Amino acid sequence: MPAVDAAPRDATASAVSIPAAQILRLLQRASREVRDLDLGCSVDRVALQDLSPLRFATEYVQRNKPVVITDAIDDWPALRLWGERYLESHPAGEVLVTVDVTPNGRGDAIRTVADHASGRLQQWFVTPHERRMTLREFFSLMRKTRAADKPGSTVSTTREVPYMQHQNSNLCEELGMLLDDIRPGMPWAEEVFGDPPEAINIWIGDERSATSFHKDHYENLYAVIRGTKVFSLLPPCDAYRMYLTRCPAACYMPRGDVPCGAVYGEVSSQPSVNPTPRAASGAAAGVSDGGGACGWEGTADTVPDGAAGLEAEKGDPSRLVAVLQDPGYEVLWSAVDTTVQDPKARQAQGLFFGLEDGWNSAAAAGVHCGGGDVSGHAIRDDDSNDFNDTTLRGGRGRDDGREDGCDTANGSCSSGGSVDPWDTAGGAPLVVEVGPGEVLYLPALWYHQVEQYTAAERAPSSRPGGSRAAAAVTTAATGASAAADTTADHGQGQQQQAQQVDMKGDEEEYVIAVNFWYDMKYDGRYSAFKLVEGLATALGLADTPPAQEAGGDGHYS
């Protein structure tokens, strides 16, 4: 019998010696495998009558897999009633609600801010300006700001985008008298999750607002009543791709309300445009800044084009600026935004978008770790520590030797012989539209970005994730019968939406939704997710989490 070496292996030393690029390769392989083995390229659509609590629990909740449930809220009076006129005339119209207002439709997101003193561009995590008003006043503000945003509008006002998205169970806490309109709720879900929802939130907005990528520590059922929500989804194993960035926390505030001595900056009214460093322009024109912020003093801290713009800015103390929180703290948040179509911005986030030329995204990420810098190299999908782009230039680089293609048996797709940039990153996001009468089950810990459009608006010309994400949806059919079923289900939703518009005449259209949060279970899936997060931090793909984050992770949809 051979002698056994009783000396324990130095596991720590072995782990440190693993090249960073090899760890990243393993993470990307896991992302591809979860799509090949389970998720496919599309989100299932199942009618509630075909979805027993047992099937919902075993096929979706236990597998942490999203699904769109059709005909799930047909019994809700809200599906027929909720619109501008009904909600304004309802007694709830006189109730005070919390409305989030931003200059660009992007609250709870990383924004580029031009510091008012130096003009230097910085990245801050900015939350919306919260205002209290009646529900009727909210609809009035929506109409006013929409009119100002129309092309050729002569309305002279600072751009504002209102959005009812306060959460914290705002439907129950602020508009409880509307709860009868969503009876009987979702009893089939409570049977699976074991308890009533932790919170019920109402969302009212339009296509000007979008929600940035984030995750929730809740099981989420998202019911759309009017309009359409467009979700871009990534599973928890893709956390390393999200470019988690630690930023100073700030909030929007009218310039005239900025406290004395507060640090603030300008943010563009267009979501994908950087702000003009106005302070620098004013300094160049020889205009004094007047010191720190202190209410509205008519200072030249935001002159857009030298001294010429000073008078116009003096007359607008209501414009929203980003103000750093005091006392300050930092928030870890995803810097990915698929609504931005700038090719350079996408190339800088190769771990998410992939690379058009087929190079593995580790090169763009510039991974630094114990294994050294792999910037400028692609990853070969084998056990070697040498890296080149040969395999990835040829396609997916599968481990099982099969040719690339679309497996219609399980919905897994790839790009054939050509290189699909999504494959170099680990896979495309799942993009799903949820229309009136439909409910999205969004499992806990899934990263999601949300766009929306009203019945009066066409779908976004560029789908979330750009043309490549649109292609991922287009090629996601799992066979002729599945495609036919999906088309029929979604067609019913569109028909319901058309009927709503007809019933409510010429009133303005909105996107209205209600979502239910149920407590998640902290089990092995959570441990696996934390492992991916920890590896991303160790590899330098994500910033180290702040020692303290005010408000925890945040829950935004």
Side-chain angles (χ1 to χ4, degrees):
M1 186 175 188
V4 177
D5 185 358
R9 177 174 295 180
D10 189 345
T12 303
S14 298
V16 171
S17 67
I18 298 176
Q22 185 176 349
I23 298 174
L24 176 57
R25 172 176 57 79
L26 294 172
L27 290 170
Q28 291 174 321
R29 182 185 298 176
S31 292
R32 290 192 290 268
E33 285 180 346
V34 77
R35 287 164 170 82
D36 287 343
L37 298 175
D38 191 19
L39 299 177
C41 298
S42 62
V43 175
D44 292 348
R45 307 183 83 91
V46 182
L48 181 62
Q49 63 184 9
D50 299 325
L51 191 69
S52 65
L54 178 62
R55 182 184 175 190
F56 179 50
T58 56
E59 293 189 20
Y60 297 103
V61 176
Q62 292 178 9
R63 290 165 62 181
N64 202 235
K65 182 177 180 178
V67 61
V68 173
I69 307 163
T70 62
D71 308 323
I73 57 173
D74 284 356
D75 294 336
W76 287 14
L79 196 59
R80 299 180 297 276
L81 297 174
W82 281 11
E84 184 181 60
R85 280 201 293 268
Y86 173 81
L87 293 174
E88 282 189 318
S89 61
H90 192 282
E94 294 300 322
V95 173
L96 285 175
V97 296
T98 304
V99 176
D100 289 352
V101 184
T102 66
N104 48 35
R106 302 298 186 271
D108 303 309
I110 295 177
R111 308 305 305 160
T112 299
V113 181
D115 182 86
H116 87 282
S118 65
R120 185 166 61 94
L121 297 181
Q122 304 173 61
Q123 297 285 299
W124 294 356
F125 175 80
V126 190
T127 56
H129 176 55
E130 294 184 358
R131 295 183 191 167
R132 296 283 288 172
M133 63 186 73
T134 67
L135 184 59
R136 184 175 292 124
E137 289 170 337
F138 163 72
F139 283 113
S140 176
L141 181 60
M142 288 289 289
R143 291 191 293 267
K144 175 183 175 182
T145 57
R146 280 176 164 180
D149 275 351
K150 288 181 178 178
S153 170
T154 58
V155 179
S156 178
T157 183
T158 299
R159 186 170 195 246
E160 292 185 341
V161 180
Y163 190 18
M164 188 176 295
Q165 59 146 24
H166 186 60
Q167 303 160 92
N168 298 322
S169 205
N170 62 335
L171 180 57
C172 300
E173 298 298 323
E174 296 182 340
L175 292 170
M177 59 181 65
L178 292 175
L179 285 172
D180 284 341
D181 289 347
I182 64 167
R183 306 290 185 198
M186 297 186 183
W188 49 272
E190 294 182 19
E191 185 175 342
V192 172
F193 295 123
D195 290 299
E198 180 79 11
I200 305 176
N201 305 304
I202 186 172
W203 310 77
I204 306 178
D206 58 22
E207 64 283 348
R208 295 175 296 169
S209 296
T211 303
S212 63
F213 269 113
H214 66 284
K215 69 181 187 303
D216 293 322
H217 288 104
Y218 286 109
E219 304 283 6
N220 195 343
L221 285 172
Y222 206 102
V224 176
I225 295 172
R226 299 198 67 165
T228 300
K229 295 276 187 176
V230 185
F231 290 79
S232 296
L233 309 174
L234 286 102
C237 65
D238 282 18
Y240 67 93
R241 301 173 58 187
M242 301 312 300
Y243 288 87
L244 297 176
T245 304
R246 197 169 69 194
C247 296
C251 64
Y252 286 116
M253 184 181 297
R255 171 63 185 89
D257 295 341
V258 176
C260 295
V263 178
Y264 71 97
E266 301 289 337
V267 177
S268 174
S269 61
Q270 301 304 316
S272 59
V273 177
N274 284 339
T276 302
R278 298 178 174 181
S281 300
V287 182
S288 170
D289 185 287
C294 192
W296 178 249
E297 299 176 344
T299 60
D301 58 307
T302 54
V303 179
D305 290 306
L310 178 57
E311 294 304 319
E313 293 296 340
K314 276 185 177 181
D316 190 16
S318 65
R319 77 179 190 281
L320 294 175
V321 297
V323 183
L324 284 182
Q325 298 283 7
D326 184 19
Y329 60 91
E330 293 181 317
V331 172
L332 190 70
W333 205 257
S334 174
V336 175
D337 184 355
T338 67
T339 67
V340 176
Q341 301 298 317
D342 180 12
K344 291 184 178 179
R346 292 182 172 224
Q347 289 171 7
Q349 294 182 338
L351 274 178
F352 184 89
F353 293 101
L355 300 179
E356 295 286 357
D357 63 3
W359 282 71
N360 184 275
S361 49
V367 180
H368 296 269
C369 197
D373 182 4
V374 300
S375 180
H377 300 280
I379 295 179
R380 190 167 69 204
D381 198 14
D382 57 26
D383 292 329
S384 172
N385 290 336
D386 298 323
F387 307 101
N388 60 59
D389 66 332
T390 303
T391 303
L392 286 164
R393 282 187 185 277
R396 181 184 291 269
R398 306 187 66 102
D399 298 319
D400 55 12
R402 287 187 287 153
E403 294 294 327
D404 293 344
C406 187
D407 184 352
T408 57
N410 61 20
S412 63
C413 303
S414 65
S415 57
S418 61
V419 174
D420 180 356
W422 286 119
D423 282 339
T424 70
L430 302 181
V431 181
V432 59
E433 292 190 356
V434 186
E438 297 178 336
V439 175
L440 171 67
Y441 165 57
L442 179 58
L445 303 179
W446 274 64
Y447 275 94
H448 53 288
Q449 174 183 274
V450 191
E451 297 178 78
Q452 57 191 355
Y453 58 93
T454 67
E457 293 289 330
R458 295 183 60 188
S461 58
S462 179
R463 297 289 301 277
S467 59
R468 297 206 296 274
V473 176
T474 303
T475 60
T478 58
S481 60
D485 291 343
T486 297
T487 302
D489 288 341
H490 196 60
Q492 291 174 0
Q494 297 299 326
Q495 185 178 11
Q496 278 185 316
Q497 182 159 309
Q499 291 172 348
Q500 285 179 326
V501 176
D502 183 64
M503 289 171 56
K504 295 177 175 60
D506 58 356
E507 68 176 350
E508 294 207 19
E509 280 298 315
Y510 300 89
V511 182
I512 305 178
V514 173
N515 80 306
F516 298 72
W517 279 336
Y518 299 86
D519 283 337
M520 67 168 280
K521 302 216 180 300
Y522 289 84
D523 52 19
R525 291 171 296 181
Y526 179 72
S527 298
F529 168 75
K530 295 303 291 183
L531 173 61
V532 174
E533 272 197 333
L535 288 173
T537 303
L539 290 172
L541 304 178
D543 285 348
T544 303
Q548 283 187 318
E549 287 190 25
D553 285 299
H555 304 288
Y556 310 99
S557 295

